[in-house]
Amino acid sequence: MRPSRADVVVTGIGLVTPLGTGREATLAGWREGRSAVAPIRAFDASGFPWTHGAEVADFEPRRHLADRKAIKLMSRNARLAVHAAGDALAQAGAGAVGAGEGEGCGLFAACGYEVPEMDDVVGMMAGSRAEDPAGDAPAPGEGRVPLSLRRLFESGRHRMNPIDALKVLPNMAMAHVAITHGIRGVNLSVGPWGGSALAAVGEGAKALLRGSCEAALVGGTDAQVNPFDVSYLGTRGLLSSTGACRPFDRGRDGTVPGEGAAFLLLEGRARAEARGARALARLAGWGSGAAPGDGPADFGAPGGPEGYGGAAERALHRAGWDPGDVDLWVADGWGTPRGDAAEEEAARALGLPASAERLFTKHRLGHCGGAAGALDAGLAVALSTGRGARILAWAGDPSGAAAAVCLEATP
Amino acid sequence: MTPRRVAVTGMGLICPLGRDPEAVFRDMIAGRSGVSALDAFDTTGFEVKVAARVRDFDPGAALPGELGAFLERGLDRKTAFGLAAAGDALASAFGAAAPSSVPPARRGVHLATGLTSTEVPEAEQDFLAHLDGRGAYDPRSAGRAAARNDGLFAYRHMTDLCAALVARRAGAAGPVLTNHGACAAAAQAIGHAFHDLREGEIDLAVCGGFESMIHPFGVLSFALLGALSTTTDRPPEAVSRPFDRTRDGFVIGEGAAMFVLEPLDLALARGARPLAEIVGYGSSLDAFRVTAPAPHGAGAARAMRSALRDAGLPPEAVGYINAHGTATPLNDAHETEAIRAVFGGPGRAPPVSSTKSMIGHAVAAAGAVEGVAVVQALRHQVLPPTLNLRDPDPECDLDYVPLVGRPASFEYAVSNSFGFGGQNASLVFRRWEGPA
């Protein structure tokens, strides 16, 4: 039952966001106008120049994950992903994954690195420092502390659980989603960048049209409120030092790290109707683009105007829409000076109408890394179902890569 | 649109046997090994003693001058491998000329790699700075280290840096993606690039994988998982022994391989010489356990069937299988079972070999490095061997082309890559029959 190009629909949206665990909790938080951006609680961030984040505060693994034995095998982004995937599949209803052993369901996701358990990793390394012959340990943070490999191996054997070695593999979130929900079809785990989750949506759509699967769970997951990711984003110059993300504002100075997971279930309209599932939206188009930048250390603004614009042109072309058809523009809105300017430039060059409503989320949800694009698009569809809006959503990354989708919410 | 045929028109390879695909393949069919003593760091007190390391590689020389000193200092080993291999692939496809006839928006880059870098100096700098005076982890120290940022921390841990730089070098403004499908990653990158070309999304792709985990943290992690060979009573070149009764784990390798792919008609029109065609790609998920492959190689079999279906080929069309063949006890038994399920048992299944016996396991780059071996096998009509297979495992009862290469006449070859976490991928390559 291979869908035609016009027939790919969204029948489930799963969200775990800083506004709440689950789509309904997120929607309620959004409608109340809440912001989840607050001083970081997950760790003591007082040493960082960047002290704010958006955390999923109400997520409780033992309440939100059915298989409690599996919890210890999962790092945080896998836990968030498993719940968000379940949220999407539950809305999509019985038979969403499909008959047989789930080999007809594809899985395409942007997965964050599994680095949050820094205490364990660094603790192991701490036990591996070479003895200082003079007896005085180097002051913390001052230059290099030599490692003793002999101690590392000993310490690793004693302190490191093999499970921890597995947890850090970057495709583990996908493995846990597959195991929990019985998904055995075609797949890809994309890296956790700004545009990756929307690129994953496009990969899933292509697999459906090709007939490689009959349904595809697409989206992303990331848990960025940890010292490693904050260091990574901060030293790239992407985080706000004032702790406030202000997309498109004159005073904007960066984004704030967030965490979350978002999944959409895609399938052909005929399959959805046969199952009695409601089409929440039609996925009309998708596309990717890149703005390679030119300076040695310069990877452009997030996405760059050519990245956002190129991705959007492809998505609109595939949808058969004119830019003037867009009712709702889901902007990326990192809140970085250059990124937001690049988006404005791309929107102008493309000819997005001034009448189009603009939705952006990072001032309230932070930048949820690998989940970001799917999270914004999923939220936009959930808010628009019943209104018939034509939605253009895009997301990009400072490396220059961007992706876009066109979604027609069901009237 | 009508599906287009997809040609491999360029290859770049950095592997433990060298950098020239012709010379590397000659070494393979002669049964030479790139495995040697693990001398990348001091292994005193550690049970893993061998690795397949890339030698004589100068990261500085691999870099295009325009990157400047800033990136050169921040570039990690695997990214340098990837850039060098991509440069070689583009040069082999286009010579000194740029692929100027293809609009930038119709050029894509699909790459694969593993974890962020944890080479020792970087780990010391990036993580041990996070300790308090008593040696306990202190996020405030991490914060102060980040605030003193030397500008390189992020670049060291930026696994999409290679794709961004390759995109710049190839002038690509179309899809630019990096995936992390563990040991299946490079095959998945090639597969997705192939589909994008076949289905008319793009007209030029650079695709492949790059990896280096021969550092203490990488080796320690795989050792803790029980995946690495701890054999010490054989010479290093005899340690990696896929499908052998005495196999005890894989030998860690490293490297990169990149392909330039083009639609066959456009490639021929510009006078390019195809090296091979790619005709099928399939993938699957085990959805079993994170710690072990699915029983009977069920996931692996689904990936191979999915690739054959994608290629529109019956199993009997396939003349050679480049196995995942890691030499772990479980993988080789399960893969054998999967091949039997898809292709039939001994006498019916085509010859199978594991080039990991010679170049080790390049982890996220494996599917690309082994893809080069498959393309060379098709071009030269010689099967690369499974080195060190002297004591066949009764459970592994197929034809594994032991010890030395073997001439063969065949049109289609399958390349398997199966990842931790149960991600599986298979590619189908076809011999280019036209003028070479």
Side-chain angles (χ1 to χ4, degrees):
Chain A
M1 202 157 42
R2 182 188 300 203
S4 81
R5 178 161 284 198
D7 279 343
V8 177
V9 296
V10 178
T11 53
I13 299 168
L15 300 175
V16 173
T17 76
L19 285 177
T21 295
R23 179 187 62 257
E24 294 307 324
T26 294
L27 280 171
W30 183 263
R31 290 190 172 118
E32 287 161 17
R34 276 201 291 123
S35 168
V37 175
I40 289 172
R41 292 178 297 267
F43 63 93
D44 181 350
S46 63
F48 282 87
W50 318 284
T51 54
H52 284 60
E55 298 171 45
V56 184
D58 66 343
F59 183 78
E60 295 170 29
R62 294 180 63 79
R63 184 156 71 90
H64 291 114
L65 298 173
D67 181 0
R68 294 184 179 182
K69 278 188 298 189
I71 293 172
K72 69 177 191 313
L73 302 174
M74 300 181 195
S75 65
R76 185 160 174 88
N77 62 20
R79 294 172 183 176
L80 302 179
V82 166
H83 188 78
D87 197 28
L89 291 170
Q91 187 180 28
V97 166
E101 296 194 319
E103 65 270 19
C105 189
L107 181 56
F108 299 84
C111 299
Y113 302 114
E114 321 250 337
V115 290
E117 281 101 10
M118 294 294 286
D119 299 47
D120 298 343
V121 176
V122 179
M124 182 186 87
M125 290 173 61
S128 312
R129 285 187 303 176
E131 288 289 0
D132 187 335
D136 38 40
E142 291 188 358
R144 286 187 179 177
V145 185
L147 270 179
S148 155
L149 294 180
R150 186 181 52 78
R151 287 180 161 219
L152 174 71
F153 299 143
E154 283 167 6
S155 155
R157 243 192 301 267
H158 296 127
R159 296 185 57 154
M160 204 168 155
N161 187 325
I163 293 303
D164 295 333
L166 262 185
K167 271 194 204 165
V168 303
L169 291 179
N171 65 334
M172 278 297 141
M174 174 169 260
H176 285 291
V177 169
I179 291 166
T180 305
H181 301 295
I183 297 172
R184 294 185 169 82
V186 290
N187 61 88
L188 188 72
S189 54
V190 190
W193 305 293
S196 296
L198 288 185
V201 174
E203 294 301 320
K206 287 187 280 186
L208 275 177
L209 294 182
R210 190 182 303 124
S212 301
C213 55
E214 55 177 272
L217 190 63
V218 297
T221 184
D222 218 337
Q224 298 196 115
V225 191
N226 63 71
F228 181 89
D229 281 312
V230 171
S231 298
Y232 179 77
L233 294 166
T235 57
R236 275 184 90 174
L238 298 170
L239 296 184
S240 165
S241 54
T242 59
C245 175
R246 285 159 291 189
F248 304 107
D249 188 273
R250 193 187 297 272
R252 67 191 183 272
D253 74 333
T255 196
V256 296
E259 60 176 1
F263 282 97
L264 310 177
L265 188 82
L266 305 180
E267 61 188 307
R269 189 181 294 279
R271 182 184 189 264
E273 281 170 1
R275 296 194 306 109
R278 181 186 181 203
L280 306 169
R282 184 172 73 88
L283 178 62
W286 53 90
S288 296
D294 30 52
D298 171 16
F299 290 92
E306 309 93 327
Y308 288 118
E313 263 175 37
R314 287 175 159 222
L316 289 166
H317 176 75
R318 194 184 308 263
W321 295 359
D322 288 323
D325 294 337
V326 174
D327 304 313
L328 175 59
W329 167 32
V330 182
D332 206 4
W334 279 66
T336 60
R338 294 179 58 202
D340 295 6
E343 283 191 73
E344 297 273 19
E345 191 184 329
R348 257 196 317 276
L350 203 61
L352 288 185
S355 60
E357 189 187 339
R358 186 186 317 193
L359 177 79
F360 49 87
T361 66
K362 294 180 180 60
H363 56 309
R364 294 167 60 187
L365 290 156
H367 194 304
C368 297
L375 195 163
D376 290 356
L379 180 64
V381 170
L383 290 167
S384 305
T385 304
R387 283 173 42 198
R390 277 160 300 184
I391 302 165
L392 170 68
W394 69 32
D397 190 83
S399 67
V405 296
C406 292
L407 288 153
E408 189 174 5
T410 302
Chain B
M1 76 187 284
T2 317
R4 304 185 298 181
R5 289 167 70 178
V6 177
V8 176
T9 57
M11 301 192 288
L13 174 67
I14 309 284
C15 85
L17 284 170
R19 189 166 173 172
D20 169 9
E22 286 296 311
V24 167
F25 192 66
R26 273 198 304 275
D27 279 349
M28 282 184 170
I29 57 181
R32 288 199 192 98
S33 171
V35 179
S36 55
L38 175 49
D39 55 7
F41 51 87
D42 179 6
T43 62
T44 308
F46 197 53
E47 63 269 37
V48 176
K49 297 294 183 189
V50 297
R53 191 161 163 84
V54 170
R55 309 275 176 187
D56 307 319
F57 178 78
D58 174 5
L63 297 175
E66 76 266 17
L67 287 182
F70 180 80
L71 273 186
E72 215 168 291
R73 282 192 296 130
L75 210 62
D76 70 341
R77 186 170 169 86
K78 65 179 181 303
T79 302
F81 287 159
L83 280 175
D88 288 358
L90 285 164
S92 86
F94 298 104
S100 55
S101 61
V102 178
R106 296 193 59 79
R107 307 177 196 180
V109 175
H110 289 248
L111 302 189
T113 194
L115 291 168
T116 70
S117 184
T118 39
E119 296 272 340
V120 167
E122 295 151 8
E124 287 174 355
Q125 201 163 321
D126 296 343
F127 298 109
L128 289 185
H130 299 185
L131 306 178
D132 66 14
R134 299 184 317 282
Y137 179 66
D138 181 358
R140 289 171 303 173
S141 299
R144 286 189 289 269
R148 280 195 314 274
N149 165 37
D150 65 358
L152 294 175
F153 176 88
Y155 286 105
R156 277 196 288 272
H157 298 289
M158 193 172 161
T159 49
D160 57 342
L161 177 62
C162 189
L165 294 173
V166 170
R168 189 185 296 181
R169 192 184 282 192
V176 176
L177 268 189
T178 304
N179 86 75
H180 293 309
C183 314
Q188 296 203 303
I190 296 165
H192 280 254
F194 155 66
H195 277 158
D196 273 357
L197 283 155
R198 188 178 68 179
E199 290 154 16
E201 298 271 337
I202 52 175
D203 294 326
L204 172 69
V206 180
C207 57
F210 57 103
E211 181 70 281
S212 172
M213 289 186 72
I214 308 182
H215 50 65
F217 304 99
V219 177
L220 177 62
S221 297
F222 283 123
L224 287 172
L225 290 169
L228 294 180
S229 171
T230 54
T231 298
T232 52
D233 60 353
R234 294 166 174 243
E237 57 274 16
V239 169
S240 182
R241 47 194 192 283
F243 305 108
D244 193 270
R245 196 181 53 81
T246 66
R247 70 188 183 275
D248 71 336
F250 72 79
V251 168
I252 192 162
E254 63 177 358
M258 299 282 172
F259 293 98
V260 172
L261 306 184
E262 299 175 71
L264 181 65
D265 54 345
L266 296 184
L268 293 176
R270 75 171 181 86
R273 297 190 308 183
L275 302 171
E277 286 181 68
I278 298 182
V279 297
Y281 163 67
S283 62
S284 72
L285 290 157
D286 278 4
F288 177 60
R289 284 183 197 149
V290 288
T291 46
H296 312 299
R302 270 199 307 279
M304 287 186 270
R305 284 200 190 96
S306 159
L308 290 174
R309 202 165 46 238
D310 189 60
L313 287 177
E316 53 273 19
V318 174
Y320 167 60
I321 298 172
N322 187 287
H324 186 53
T326 54
T328 63
L330 269 185
N331 176 81
D332 294 4
H334 283 40
E335 186 169 10
T336 296
E337 226 180 318
I339 290 170
R340 292 174 58 123
V342 176
F343 294 92
R348 296 188 56 203
V352 177
S353 73
S354 170
T355 41
K356 288 187 179 76
S357 59
M358 297 172 280
I359 54 173
H361 187 354
V363 197
V369 172
E370 291 156 23
V372 172
V374 169
V375 168
Q376 293 292 58
L378 286 163
R379 289 176 72 202
H380 295 285
Q381 294 285 286
V382 180
L383 308 179
T386 304
L387 195 62
N388 302 320
L389 175 49
R390 295 179 184 277
D391 184 0
D393 181 350
E395 269 195 77
C396 300
D397 54 1
L398 301 175
D399 171 8
Y400 302 104
V401 196
L403 307 181
V404 291
R406 181 197 303 163
S409 175
F410 66 115
E411 186 178 359
Y412 294 99
V414 165
S415 180
N416 285 338
S417 297
F418 310 137
F420 273 106
Q423 269 186 287
N424 312 298
S426 297
L427 289 163
V428 188
F429 291 80
R430 182 186 191 184
R431 182 189 183 193
W432 169 241
E433 302 273 10

